[in-house]
Short mmCIF file of all heavy atoms in Angstrom, two decimals:
data_model
loop_
_atom_site.label_atom_id
_atom_site.label_comp_id
_atom_site.label_asym_id
_atom_site.label_seq_id
_atom_site.Cartn_x
_atom_site.Cartn_y
_atom_site.Cartn_z
N TRP A 44 -29.29 -47.04 52.19
CA TRP A 44 -28.91 -47.82 53.36
C TRP A 44 -29.31 -47.16 54.66
O TRP A 44 -29.14 -47.72 55.72
CB TRP A 44 -27.41 -48.07 53.37
CG TRP A 44 -27.00 -49.08 52.36
CD1 TRP A 44 -26.52 -48.83 51.11
CD2 TRP A 44 -27.03 -50.50 52.48
NE1 TRP A 44 -26.27 -50.00 50.47
CE2 TRP A 44 -26.57 -51.04 51.27
CE3 TRP A 44 -27.43 -51.36 53.51
CZ2 TRP A 44 -26.48 -52.42 51.05
CZ3 TRP A 44 -27.35 -52.72 53.29
CH2 TRP A 44 -26.88 -53.24 52.08
N THR A 63 -28.52 -59.08 52.02
CA THR A 63 -28.44 -59.67 50.70
C THR A 63 -28.24 -61.17 50.86
O THR A 63 -27.85 -61.65 51.92
CB THR A 63 -27.25 -59.12 49.90
OG1 THR A 63 -26.03 -59.48 50.55
CG2 THR A 63 -27.33 -57.61 49.78
N ARG A 64 -28.51 -61.89 49.80
CA ARG A 64 -28.26 -63.34 49.85
C ARG A 64 -26.79 -63.59 50.14
O ARG A 64 -25.91 -63.05 49.48
CB ARG A 64 -28.62 -63.98 48.51
CG ARG A 64 -30.08 -64.38 48.42
CD ARG A 64 -30.32 -65.13 47.13
NE ARG A 64 -29.74 -66.46 47.18
CZ ARG A 64 -29.50 -67.22 46.11
NH1 ARG A 64 -29.78 -66.77 44.93
NH2 ARG A 64 -28.96 -68.40 46.25
N ASP A 65 -26.53 -64.42 51.11
CA ASP A 65 -25.15 -64.75 51.49
C ASP A 65 -24.36 -63.53 51.94
O ASP A 65 -23.14 -63.58 52.03
CB ASP A 65 -24.41 -65.41 50.31
CG ASP A 65 -24.55 -66.92 50.33
OD1 ASP A 65 -24.80 -67.49 51.42
OD2 ASP A 65 -24.39 -67.54 49.27
N ASP A 66 -25.08 -62.42 52.20
CA ASP A 66 -24.44 -61.16 52.59
C ASP A 66 -23.44 -60.69 51.53
O ASP A 66 -22.44 -60.06 51.83
CB ASP A 66 -23.75 -61.29 53.95
CG ASP A 66 -24.76 -61.33 55.08
OD1 ASP A 66 -25.81 -60.65 54.95
OD2 ASP A 66 -24.52 -62.02 56.06
N ARG A 67 -23.70 -61.04 50.28
CA ARG A 67 -22.82 -60.57 49.21
C ARG A 67 -23.08 -59.13 48.89
O ARG A 67 -24.15 -58.60 49.17
CB ARG A 67 -23.05 -61.41 47.94
CG ARG A 67 -22.33 -62.76 48.00
CD ARG A 67 -22.52 -63.49 46.69
NE ARG A 67 -23.28 -64.72 46.90
CZ ARG A 67 -23.74 -65.47 45.90
NH1 ARG A 67 -23.54 -65.11 44.65
NH2 ARG A 67 -24.39 -66.57 46.16
N LEU A 68 -22.12 -58.49 48.25
CA LEU A 68 -22.29 -57.09 47.85
C LEU A 68 -22.79 -57.03 46.41
O LEU A 68 -22.47 -57.90 45.59
CB LEU A 68 -20.96 -56.36 47.94
CG LEU A 68 -20.37 -56.25 49.36
CD1 LEU A 68 -18.99 -55.59 49.29
CD2 LEU A 68 -21.29 -55.48 50.27
N GLY A 69 -23.58 -56.02 46.14
CA GLY A 69 -24.00 -55.77 44.77
C GLY A 69 -25.09 -56.69 44.25
O GLY A 69 -25.29 -56.80 43.06
N VAL A 70 -25.77 -57.36 45.17
CA VAL A 70 -26.86 -58.22 44.75
C VAL A 70 -28.16 -57.72 45.36
O VAL A 70 -28.18 -56.79 46.16
CB VAL A 70 -26.62 -59.69 45.15
CG1 VAL A 70 -25.38 -60.23 44.42
CG2 VAL A 70 -26.48 -59.83 46.65
#
Side-chain angles (χ1 to χ4, degrees):
W44 286 97
T63 65
R64 272 186 73 198
D65 270 336
D66 287 326
R67 280 184 244 171
L68 296 176
V70 296

